[in-house]
Amino acid sequence: MRIVIAGAGIGGLTAALSLHAAGFEDVTVHEAAPEIRPLGVGINLLPHAVRELTELGLADRLAEIGVATAELAYFNRYGTPIWSEPRGLAAGYAWPQYSVHRGTLQMLLLEAVVERLGPDSVRSGSRITGPGDEDLLIGADGIHSAVRAHLYPDEGPPPWNGLVLWRGVTYGEPFLTGRSMIMAGDGTQKFVAYPIETGERTLINWIAERPLDGEAPDRGNWNRPADLTEIGRHFADWRFDWLDVPGIIAGAETAYEYPMVDRDPLPRWTFDGITLLGDAAHAMYPIGSNGASQAIIDARVLAYALAQGDLAAYEELRRPATTALQLSNREMGPEVVMKLAHERAPEGFDDIEQVIPHEERAEIAASYKRTAGFDPASLSERPSWSVDRSAAS
């Protein structure tokens, strides 16, 4: 079976590794960019995605490039705690959660693909816009997918919700546990920070978010440079006892602007030898740290379904799950606790229990884990998507 993958991002490269592990030998990855470079900033890999990369034999390499997240904590815009929870192994998972540089992860996956599938398995400067003579074309070519556009030519640009993200990295002092991921805000304006390198110096990945006046430029372009002074102006008074937000922003060498866009859920991914994966199938708001993780899971399920001779099973399992997640992220997912805290106590509070009771906060967190597929108990109990190589043809 000849399989062509459009896109050498995290989803496309994981798909190549997964298909090879399932016994498919004729797999090539085509990347439109003339050179694959480690672009981007930080992302998070949740335990369900780390499980899949572990089963692909990448656990040790992943541990070398990632920071194992110890906790996730939410605060209001004054730095007062709203909710915190352990993450990864500390939360009882069998797999850690990692914060990593997106480009470093992509290079790790690329190296593994070349090692296992051969040096000709990834072809840069090769844009795929539609089917050729392959048996299966997998569109893993991102939010501006040419393969998706071939299937849905009238869709248009990604819809924008009026918010802009600014993203950067800064060397700074460790905060809280030293391996904490924090989100502070009021439901409209938000600041996120977490370390992606620790050791002699801590490299902090950060995201600043707020409404943008006017029309969003370059929807879906992660690499549009932004003005650090302008960003800092909006967060000038966000100095907490444990984190200096304007100092972190000012300490970056550069930052990138990205309008918050996604894609509407599709009624169908698979047509006559073509299917979609990752952002090409279900681009979602960067809420709940799920974009890359869901692409990795897509890749594993797709390889499993193909090895069983049942491509339809891939979409039957993944499309409803990712549709629910896309819609949840449009409602702010677990980050809604910041919005609720602001609505109920806009000037701040002394006792969060009087604002959002513990039971309500806990259910918001647990509900999102169920929707996104990383509820601790169900993740541990779920059978593996690894397959016997001899099952593939």
Side-chain angles (χ1 to χ4, degrees), residues 7-362:
I10 291 169
L13 293 170
T14 304
L17 291 170
S18 300
L19 289 162
H20 179 264
F24 296 93
E25 301 294 342
D26 192 354
V27 179
T28 55
V29 183
H30 294 252
E31 170 55 47
E35 180 184 2
I36 301 173
R37 297 183 291 132
L39 301 176
V41 285
I43 60 171
N44 278 269
L45 294 177
L46 300 176
H48 53 348
V50 175
R51 173 181 178 175
E52 301 312 322
L53 296 179
T54 297
E55 294 186 2
L56 285 171
L58 299 174
D60 291 343
R61 297 190 198 186
L62 194 56
E64 290 177 357
I65 69 166
V67 174
T69 310
E71 72 162 348
L72 169 64
Y74 296 96
F75 301 82
N76 67 3
R77 61 162 297 148
Y78 306 108
T80 308
I82 297 172
W83 171 259
S84 66
E85 61 183 54
R87 279 294 173 114
L89 300 178
Y93 289 97
W95 304 271
Q97 175 174 327
Y98 286 116
S99 297
V100 300
H101 189 285
R102 182 202 173 278
T104 304
L105 174 62
Q106 184 183 15
M107 293 301 104
L108 181 158
L109 296 170
L110 176 62
E111 181 182 69
V113 170
V114 171
E115 286 175 2
R116 299 178 188 183
L117 281 71
D120 295 328
S121 60
V122 181
R123 303 172 187 179
S124 58
S126 178
R127 181 177 175 83
I128 301 293
T129 59
D133 60 356
E134 67 279 332
D135 296 295
L136 178 64
L137 170 61
I138 300 170
D141 47 344
I143 194 169
H144 294 297
S145 168
V147 178
R148 178 172 174 139
H150 172 80
L151 299 175
Y152 294 92
D154 300 324
E155 185 172 30
W160 175 49
N161 71 352
L163 298 177
V164 65
L165 307 176
W166 293 297
R167 301 179 65 122
V169 293
T170 303
Y171 281 104
E173 295 298 318
F175 54 90
L176 300 180
T177 68
R179 292 186 291 116
S180 297
M181 178 179 185
I182 70 94
M183 300 187 185
D186 56 16
T188 300
Q189 188 159 318
K190 179 178 72 177
F191 189 80
V192 180
Y194 52 86
I196 56 174
E197 289 180 17
T198 56
E200 293 184 5
R201 295 195 297 174
T202 296
L203 184 61
I204 300 168
N205 182 82
W206 55 266
I207 305 165
E209 173 188 314
R210 70 180 306 276
L212 179 69
D213 296 330
E215 178 62 22
D218 295 343
R219 296 188 192 183
N221 177 9
W222 273 109
N223 299 304
R224 178 183 173 86
D227 183 345
L228 288 167
T229 302
E230 172 67 11
I231 302 169
R233 181 176 68 83
H234 296 292
F235 293 85
D237 60 347
W238 289 46
R239 287 187 169 89
F240 313 142
D241 292 342
W242 47 274
L243 191 70
D244 179 3
V245 172
I248 289 177
I249 294 171
E253 290 188 3
T254 188
Y256 301 97
E257 178 179 285
Y258 180 72
M260 189 182 280
V261 296
D262 65 357
R263 285 289 190 185
D264 291 330
L266 291 176
R268 184 178 175 187
W269 293 353
T270 306
F271 299 78
D272 298 329
I274 306 175
T275 196
L276 302 174
L277 180 152
D279 280 356
H282 50 70
M284 58 188 67
Y285 292 157
I287 301 289
S289 309
N290 257 279
S293 292
Q294 294 298 322
I296 289 167
I297 295 166
D298 285 351
R300 292 281 287 163
V301 175
L302 175 56
Y304 181 87
L306 285 174
Q308 309 304 315
D310 187 6
L311 175 59
Y314 160 63
E315 182 171 338
E316 289 171 3
L317 181 63
R318 294 300 297 151
R319 189 169 57 80
T322 56
T323 294
L325 192 55
Q326 286 178 285
L327 298 178
S328 176
N329 282 7
R330 285 183 173 181
E331 299 299 322
M332 298 184 67
E335 298 176 18
V336 74
V337 292
M338 294 184 290
K339 178 175 182 288
L340 293 175
H342 177 71
E343 289 175 347
R344 298 176 188 180
E347 303 303 319
F349 52 85
D350 294 320
D351 182 4
I352 185 60
E353 187 67 21
Q354 302 302 313
V355 181
I356 313 175
H358 181 274
E359 182 177 353
E360 183 179 0
R361 286 174 285 150

